[in-house]
Amino acid sequence: MADWVWPAGLALLGAIVGSFLATLVIRWPQGRSVIGGRSMCDGCGRTLAALELVPLVSALASRGRCRTCGAAIDQRHWQIELGCSALGVVSGFAVPGPVGAAGAVFGWLLLALAALDVAEFWLPDALTGTLALAGIASIAVAPPDWTDRVIGGGVGFASLWLIGFAYHRLRGREGLGGGDPKLLGAIGLWVGWAMLPFVVLIACLIGLAAVATAIARGQRPAATDRLPLGALMAIAAYPVWLVMIAWTL
């Protein structure tokens, strides 16, 4: 198979997967069914036709608005579709073949988790568990080996859990969300234990950059302000995986 087929195919598949993940990100926190029910306009309730559900194309054609009532369509639909498509292209170019496909799956799940954490400060166990299971399954096609992954999963979970436990004992309040250790554990099952420090380091640097940007805009951070650590780790994990793959293949 020609190398260009992989980025092209994963780009197309990414847009389709992104359409489902966008629906999941928007509906799940609202308690709405992700699988059942027809897609409809949130403004007028009109059931959307098949041609209005084509990933990316429909949003571009409608300019992001319902053609009946003119209500704005949640921008996360096309943003997540575009993000998943871009992750497919990058994965397909970086490592054409099954390894690239595995990397695309990693990126797609991370994107969904990051979007949920940013919007809701929520990392659902079902989605984090799916990421973990996909990491175990990817052992069949991609490095590192299973021992590195198992250690990474255990170290990732235990390290953040202990930090959160210690913070709660010392300060008497929660400092980490319960989903953060589980997410780092799931990431460890993908990248192995040796790459986990880089995931945490990059996540912290992104968080510091976000705080510095807020200060530059005149906002004054408080000790009780929250940052979506899960989203920061998700953003950091994919490029770390790419570097790890480049070193090992």
Side-chain angles (χ1 to χ4, degrees):
M1 185 180 295
D3 285 352
W4 66 266
V5 174
W6 287 100
L10 289 173
L12 177 59
L13 182 59
I16 296 170
V17 171
S19 180
F20 170 75
L21 292 179
T23 301
L24 180 147
V25 167
I26 294 167
R27 290 187 183 181
W28 203 354
Q30 299 172 356
R32 298 163 58 192
S33 172
V34 176
I35 300 176
R38 298 288 302 278
S39 297
M40 61 181 62
C41 172
D42 292 329
C44 64
R46 178 180 63 83
T47 299
L48 301 179
L51 289 177
E52 295 176 283
L53 300 174
V54 180
L56 293 175
V57 176
S58 295
L60 183 63
S62 66
R63 298 183 180 180
R65 293 190 174 275
C66 172
R67 62 180 175 83
T68 300
C69 68
I73 299 171
D74 195 315
Q75 294 187 7
R76 285 177 292 179
H77 281 290
W78 69 263
Q79 290 170 348
I80 293 175
E81 290 169 0
L82 182 60
C84 286
S85 184
L87 286 166
V89 171
V90 172
S91 298
F93 269 123
V95 271
V99 178
V105 171
F106 185 44
W108 297 338
L109 292 171
L110 288 172
L111 179 56
L113 284 160
L116 281 168
D117 200 31
V118 167
E120 308 290 338
F121 286 98
W122 182 41
L123 297 169
D125 288 347
L127 195 55
T128 306
T130 301
L131 181 69
L133 291 174
I136 294 171
S138 71
I139 294 174
V141 297
D145 62 30
W146 70 271
T147 53
D148 285 350
R149 291 176 186 251
V150 171
I151 295 171
V155 169
F157 174 81
S159 58
L160 279 194
W161 185 88
L162 287 172
I163 291 172
F165 176 77
Y167 185 91
H168 185 267
R169 291 295 297 269
L170 291 172
R171 301 296 298 273
R173 59 186 174 88
E174 297 293 338
L176 285 176
D180 294 325
K182 298 172 187 176
L183 176 58
L184 189 59
I187 291 171
L189 289 172
W190 277 89
V191 303
W193 64 270
M195 303 303 290
L196 280 180
F198 297 101
V199 174
V200 175
L201 175 61
I202 295 172
C204 291
L205 291 175
I206 296 171
L208 289 173
V211 172
T213 300
I215 294 173
R217 292 177 176 175
Q219 301 175 22
R220 182 173 298 177
T224 55
D225 287 349
R226 301 169 68 191
L227 278 176
L229 177 60
L232 300 178
M233 292 190 298
I235 294 169
Y238 181 75
V240 168
W241 180 87
L242 284 177
V243 171
M244 183 268 296
I245 289 296
W247 282 349
T248 54
L249 290 184

